[in-house]
Amino acid sequence: MTSMIKAGDDLLRFSGHDTFHCKEQWLLKGIQLSDKQTSKDIFKHNEAIPILGVGKNMVRSINHWLKAFGLIDRENKTSEFADLLFLVNKFDLFLENDGSLWLLQYYLCKTNYSSIFQLIFSSYFSDKATLEFSEYQIISFIKRQLSKNSQKAVAEKTLNSDFKVFVRTYVLPFKNEKTVEDDFSAPLLGLNLVSDTGRKNSANQAVYRVNRDLQESISAEVFGYCLLEEFRLENSVSFEKIKKTLGSYLCLSNEGLELLIDNLCHLYKEFVFKNDAGVKQVQFKNNTTEFKINLLKTHYEVQ
């Protein structure tokens, strides 16, 4: 069962993954299943078990992660993003390109379907001087947010489980050889967005760190696609708004964000950077779906 909390116009969701972090091979298998089946409830049918080659709980988890990564909607219908990556354009079926991982990271935060990702990468650090965090700090933060908005509490066990899944998504644990292959199959591990500092807090919990950096493996085209997707109904957006949303989702330092914006505007006349009276903003001269897709075609070097 998935816990859902209404927060203003945003729906915060916890659980739904059955304690499994996403495995790389799940995404393509799950998308192909969703695309080929006529029933929107295919993930609830027993036939999905042998097709996906996993147990019933993992079938539910795969369905959860497809939604969390923005590859299918609430009705299990495939998205434009799924078409681009896996089904129609087939830019990167086996997630061999760093750009694909950055797109997955972006959508994981943007969809807010598994809310702990957006909360940690963006909301939690909006007023923090440090980039370090522990399980206790994150869970306390979530509880404060719910209480402040007079929202129903979420079971501590549920929040503990979400935190552990979050960590396993980005940090390779010290395990025996039997589980090494399983651990390495988490698609976002290679982005190095979260590190274990090796220190413990007073409750003997591990202290982690979000690695905001230049993120040099993000191409101008992938960044431009995400920028237009994030602000698809706008003609211009302030630097601060980009920083709090897309910049945070992609773990960009201020310098990294400025460099990406400068490079994007240099390469594409459709993006214009303005700095008037200290107010920095990016203007969009073309925010069409065709232009967005063409950016990705350039990134993946396809016609």
Side-chain angles (χ1 to χ4, degrees):
M1 182 177 292
T2 301
S3 299
M4 296 177 288
I5 307 297
K6 187 72 175 172
D9 294 327
D10 295 323
L11 193 65
L12 296 185
R13 301 177 67 97
F14 302 95
S15 176
H17 43 65
D18 276 83
T19 74
F20 297 108
H21 65 287
C22 185
K23 312 298 193 298
E24 190 171 290
Q25 63 272 21
W26 284 1
L27 298 180
L28 177 58
K29 286 183 177 180
I31 277 297
Q32 290 175 335
L33 173 66
S34 187
D35 182 51
K36 292 174 183 176
Q37 305 304 316
T38 55
S39 170
K40 70 177 183 178
D41 295 321
I42 183 60
F43 290 94
K44 295 180 181 178
H45 296 174
N46 287 334
E47 64 187 279
I49 295 174
I51 294 174
L52 294 173
V54 298
K56 189 174 182 179
N57 287 4
M58 283 190 180
V59 171
R60 286 198 298 266
S61 187
I62 290 172
N63 187 227
H64 167 85
W65 289 116
L66 291 176
K67 291 173 180 175
F69 281 113
L71 293 166
I72 60 176
D73 63 18
R74 305 291 172 93
E75 302 299 317
N76 291 325
K77 293 179 182 177
T78 55
S79 67
E80 175 190 283
F81 177 42
D83 286 342
L84 292 171
L85 210 57
F86 295 118
L87 296 174
V88 179
N89 302 85
K90 299 182 180 179
F91 285 146
D92 191 10
L93 289 176
F94 304 107
L95 302 179
E96 298 169 320
N97 189 297
D98 282 347
S100 305
L101 304 185
W102 286 114
L103 289 169
L104 288 171
Q105 168 65 16
Y106 164 65
Y107 277 106
L108 183 57
C109 292
K110 173 186 170 58
T111 66
N112 203 27
Y113 190 82
S114 188
S115 296
I116 195 166
F117 291 90
Q118 187 184 106
L119 287 169
I120 291 180
F121 282 108
S122 182
S123 305
Y124 179 74
F125 289 108
S126 63
D127 61 350
K128 300 287 189 301
T130 177
L131 290 174
E132 294 184 354
F133 64 97
S134 66
E135 181 175 359
Y136 172 79
Q137 289 173 311
I138 296 300
I139 290 177
S140 295
F141 171 75
I142 293 172
K143 289 179 177 179
R144 288 196 301 272
Q145 295 301 104
L146 298 176
S147 176
K148 185 171 69 173
N149 293 299
S150 301
Q151 297 168 350
K152 184 180 177 182
V154 176
E156 182 124 0
K157 183 178 179 181
T158 297
L159 298 180
N160 292 147
S161 177
D162 265 35
F163 185 84
K164 287 177 174 57
V165 167
F166 172 90
V167 170
R168 289 290 298 278
T169 301
Y170 300 101
V171 182
L172 185 65
F174 294 102
K175 290 261 187 148
N176 56 45
E177 292 182 6
K178 185 178 180 181
T179 59
V180 167
E181 184 178 346
D182 175 63
D183 291 332
F184 272 113
S185 70
L188 301 185
L189 274 177
L191 295 181
N192 191 33
L193 299 186
V194 180
S195 297
D196 187 335
T197 66
R199 294 184 283 107
K200 304 280 189 180
N201 63 11
S202 58
N204 201 36
Q205 295 175 333
V207 176
Y208 300 96
R209 186 181 191 279
V210 165
N211 298 321
R212 287 189 182 169
D213 207 341
L214 298 179
Q215 310 301 7
E216 294 176 348
S217 62
I218 303 176
S219 70
E221 290 76 19
V222 165
F223 180 74
Y225 173 89
C226 292
L227 190 60
L228 295 178
E229 181 70 5
E230 182 67 19
F231 304 104
R232 58 166 59 203
L233 300 178
E234 302 183 44
N235 296 317
S236 66
V237 62
S238 70
F239 178 86
E240 281 302 308
K241 196 169 183 181
I242 298 171
K243 174 184 171 182
K244 291 177 181 178
T245 52
L246 181 57
S248 294
Y249 301 164
L250 301 181
C251 259
L252 285 161
S253 61
N254 286 344
E255 182 185 0
L257 180 57
E258 289 175 356
L259 285 172
L260 268 172
I261 290 173
D262 286 345
N263 191 32
L264 182 65
C265 294
H266 174 73
L267 292 172
Y268 295 93
K269 66 182 185 302
E270 291 85 354
F271 298 92
V272 178
F273 180 71
K274 295 284 188 179
N275 189 353
D276 296 326
V279 178
K280 297 186 288 186
Q281 65 175 240
V282 179
Q283 297 178 348
F284 310 139
K285 302 302 182 182
N286 188 344
N287 201 345
T288 63
T289 298
E290 181 182 12
F291 177 56
K292 281 194 304 183
I293 294 174
N294 284 337
L295 285 173
L296 291 189
K297 285 182 177 179
T298 300
H299 171 81
Y300 288 104
E301 300 180 338
V302 297
Q303 297 299 319

